[in-house]
Tab-separated table of all heavy atoms in Angstrom:
chain	number	residue	atom	x	y	z
I	17	LEU	N	-11.916	6.339	6.838
I	17	LEU	CA	-12.351	5.672	8.062
I	17	LEU	C	-12.888	6.690	9.067
I	17	LEU	O	-13.931	6.467	9.694
I	17	LEU	CB	-11.180	4.890	8.669
I	17	LEU	CG	-11.445	4.229	10.029
I	17	LEU	CD1	-12.565	3.194	9.915
I	17	LEU	CD2	-10.173	3.574	10.567
I	21	ARG	N	-16.648	6.883	10.576
I	21	ARG	CA	-16.893	6.858	12.021
I	21	ARG	C	-17.828	8.006	12.411
I	21	ARG	O	-18.781	7.820	13.189
I	21	ARG	CB	-15.579	6.981	12.792
I	21	ARG	CG	-14.717	5.725	12.777
I	21	ARG	CD	-13.355	6.007	13.410
I	21	ARG	NE	-13.506	6.531	14.767
I	21	ARG	CZ	-13.694	5.771	15.839
I	21	ARG	NH1	-13.741	4.453	15.714
I	21	ARG	NH2	-13.828	6.308	17.032
I	27	TYR	N	-16.893	8.891	17.692
I	27	TYR	CA	-16.078	10.080	17.946
I	27	TYR	C	-14.651	9.881	17.462
I	27	TYR	O	-14.067	8.814	17.624
I	27	TYR	CB	-16.071	10.407	19.442
I	27	TYR	CG	-17.392	10.951	19.945
I	27	TYR	CD1	-18.404	10.087	20.373
I	27	TYR	CD2	-17.633	12.317	19.963
I	27	TYR	CE1	-19.613	10.580	20.827
I	27	TYR	CE2	-18.838	12.825	20.407
I	27	TYR	CZ	-19.827	11.953	20.839
I	27	TYR	OH	-21.035	12.447	21.272
I	28	ASN	N	-14.094	10.940	16.884
I	28	ASN	CA	-12.684	10.959	16.505
I	28	ASN	C	-11.850	11.810	17.472
I	28	ASN	O	-10.672	12.059	17.231
I	28	ASN	CB	-12.519	11.507	15.084
I	28	ASN	CG	-13.066	10.537	14.045
I	28	ASN	OD1	-12.824	9.331	14.113
I	28	ASN	ND2	-13.821	11.053	13.087
I	46	MET	N	-6.209	11.658	19.495
I	46	MET	CA	-5.048	10.847	19.847
I	46	MET	C	-3.788	11.440	19.205
I	46	MET	O	-3.867	12.187	18.233
I	46	MET	CB	-5.237	9.410	19.376
I	46	MET	CG	-6.376	8.668	20.042
I	46	MET	SD	-6.500	6.957	19.431
I	46	MET	CE	-8.001	6.422	20.234
I	81	GLU	N	-18.372	2.992	24.781
I	81	GLU	CA	-17.593	2.424	23.674
I	81	GLU	C	-16.162	2.972	23.669
I	81	GLU	O	-15.261	2.362	23.082
I	81	GLU	CB	-18.278	2.712	22.333
I	81	GLU	CG	-18.234	4.158	21.867
I	81	GLU	CD	-19.355	5.028	22.430
I	81	GLU	OE1	-20.051	4.569	23.359
I	81	GLU	OE2	-19.533	6.151	21.925
I	82	LEU	N	-15.965	4.123	24.311
I	82	LEU	CA	-14.624	4.705	24.416
I	82	LEU	C	-13.971	4.299	25.723
I	82	LEU	O	-14.651	4.022	26.712
I	82	LEU	CB	-14.699	6.234	24.350
I	82	LEU	CG	-15.234	6.867	23.069
I	82	LEU	CD1	-15.216	8.374	23.196
I	82	LEU	CD2	-14.411	6.441	21.867
I	83	LYS	N	-12.650	4.304	25.721
I	83	LYS	CA	-11.884	4.038	26.940
I	83	LYS	C	-10.789	5.087	27.062
I	83	LYS	O	-10.322	5.628	26.064
I	83	LYS	CB	-11.267	2.638	26.908
I	83	LYS	CG	-12.274	1.504	26.980
I	83	LYS	CD	-11.571	0.151	26.988
I	83	LYS	CE	-12.583	-0.985	27.017
I	83	LYS	NZ	-11.918	-2.311	26.961
I	176	ASN	N	-0.219	-3.356	25.657
I	176	ASN	CA	-1.598	-3.233	25.189
I	176	ASN	C	-1.659	-2.874	23.701
I	176	ASN	O	-2.567	-2.186	23.246
I	176	ASN	CB	-2.324	-2.163	26.015
I	176	ASN	CG	-2.507	-2.568	27.455
I	176	ASN	OD1	-3.472	-3.237	27.814
I	176	ASN	ND2	-1.575	-2.175	28.305
I	205	TYR	N	2.210	1.936	15.143
I	205	TYR	CA	1.708	1.242	16.333
I	205	TYR	C	0.242	0.889	16.157
I	205	TYR	O	-0.545	1.684	15.636
I	205	TYR	CB	1.881	2.151	17.557
I	205	TYR	CG	1.277	1.635	18.844
I	205	TYR	CD1	1.894	0.615	19.566
I	205	TYR	CD2	0.096	2.184	19.339
I	205	TYR	CE1	1.337	0.162	20.759
I	205	TYR	CE2	-0.466	1.735	20.529
I	205	TYR	CZ	0.159	0.708	21.237
I	205	TYR	OH	-0.377	0.247	22.416
I	206	THR	N	-0.125	-0.297	16.591
I	206	THR	CA	-1.523	-0.725	16.586
I	206	THR	C	-1.930	-1.095	18.007
I	206	THR	O	-1.377	-2.029	18.595
I	206	THR	CB	-1.732	-1.947	15.670
I	206	THR	OG1	-1.344	-1.605	14.336
I	206	THR	CG2	-3.188	-2.386	15.683
I	207	PRO	N	-2.873	-0.369	18.598
I	207	PRO	CA	-3.336	-0.709	19.945
I	207	PRO	C	-4.262	-1.914	19.912
I	207	PRO	O	-4.933	-2.162	18.897
I	207	PRO	CB	-4.076	0.557	20.388
I	207	PRO	CG	-4.573	1.144	19.117
I	207	PRO	CD	-3.542	0.821	18.065
I	208	ASP	N	-4.313	-2.662	20.998
I	208	ASP	CA	-5.257	-3.773	21.081
I	208	ASP	C	-6.695	-3.257	21.020
I	208	ASP	O	-7.574	-3.911	20.457
I	208	ASP	CB	-5.041	-4.553	22.382
I	208	ASP	CG	-3.703	-5.288	22.391
I	208	ASP	OD1	-3.127	-5.505	21.295
I	208	ASP	OD2	-3.220	-5.631	23.493
I	209	ASP	N	-6.923	-2.098	21.638
I	209	ASP	CA	-8.251	-1.486	21.624
I	209	ASP	C	-8.154	-0.134	20.926
I	209	ASP	O	-7.663	0.848	21.506
I	209	ASP	CB	-8.776	-1.298	23.054
I	209	ASP	CG	-10.210	-0.791	23.080
I	209	ASP	OD1	-10.713	-0.356	22.019
I	209	ASP	OD2	-10.837	-0.813	24.156
I	210	PRO	N	-8.598	-0.018	19.684
I	210	PRO	CA	-8.453	1.239	18.937
I	210	PRO	C	-9.293	2.383	19.500
I	210	PRO	O	-9.094	3.537	19.123
I	210	PRO	CB	-8.909	0.869	17.523
I	210	PRO	CG	-9.758	-0.336	17.693
I	210	PRO	CD	-9.208	-1.080	18.866
I	211	GLU	N	-10.221	2.080	20.421
I	211	GLU	CA	-11.054	3.123	21.022
I	211	GLU	C	-10.472	3.654	22.332
I	211	GLU	O	-11.095	4.486	22.997
I	211	GLU	CB	-12.477	2.587	21.275
I	211	GLU	CG	-13.203	2.130	20.036
I	211	GLU	CD	-13.435	3.261	19.039
I	211	GLU	OE1	-13.574	4.424	19.465
I	211	GLU	OE2	-13.456	2.977	17.816
I	212	GLU	N	-9.289	3.188	22.713
I	212	GLU	CA	-8.694	3.641	23.967
I	212	GLU	C	-7.798	4.859	23.743
I	212	GLU	O	-6.863	4.825	22.947
I	212	GLU	CB	-7.864	2.532	24.621
I	212	GLU	CG	-7.272	2.963	25.962
I	212	GLU	CD	-6.392	1.900	26.585
I	212	GLU	OE1	-5.332	1.581	26.006
I	212	GLU	OE2	-6.757	1.388	27.658
I	213	TYR	N	-8.095	5.933	24.465
I	213	TYR	CA	-7.251	7.122	24.467
I	213	TYR	C	-6.253	6.990	25.617
I	213	TYR	O	-6.647	6.812	26.776
I	213	TYR	CB	-8.093	8.385	24.675
I	213	TYR	CG	-8.918	8.776	23.475
I	213	TYR	CD1	-10.078	8.081	23.146
I	213	TYR	CD2	-8.545	9.849	22.665
I	213	TYR	CE1	-10.844	8.434	22.050
I	213	TYR	CE2	-9.304	10.210	21.556
I	213	TYR	CZ	-10.452	9.496	21.258
I	213	TYR	OH	-11.210	9.845	20.162
I	214	ARG	N	-4.978	7.093	25.284
I	214	ARG	CA	-3.939	6.994	26.314
I	214	ARG	C	-3.366	8.387	26.561
I	214	ARG	O	-2.872	9.047	25.637
I	214	ARG	CB	-2.839	6.026	25.870
I	214	ARG	CG	-3.309	4.571	25.847
I	214	ARG	CD	-2.355	3.671	25.107
I	214	ARG	NE	-2.126	4.121	23.738
I	214	ARG	CZ	-3.003	3.960	22.748
I	214	ARG	NH1	-4.140	3.335	22.976
I	214	ARG	NH2	-2.738	4.397	21.531
I	251	LYS	N	1.033	6.995	19.784
I	251	LYS	CA	-0.266	7.671	19.739
I	251	LYS	C	-0.737	8.193	21.093
I	251	LYS	O	-1.946	8.361	21.329
I	251	LYS	CB	-1.329	6.745	19.130
I	251	LYS	CG	-0.990	6.267	17.727
I	251	LYS	CD	-2.084	5.390	17.148
I	251	LYS	CE	-1.718	4.888	15.750
I	251	LYS	NZ	-2.752	4.019	15.179
Side-chain angles (χ1 to χ4, degrees):
L17 175 62
R21 286 173 56 83
Y27 289 87
N28 291 316
M46 296 181 186
E81 71 274 12
L82 297 181
K83 292 182 182 177
N176 293 274
Y205 174 76
T206 300
D208 292 340
D209 186 347
E211 300 297 330
E212 182 183 65
Y213 287 76
R214 290 166 303 284
K251 302 182 181 179

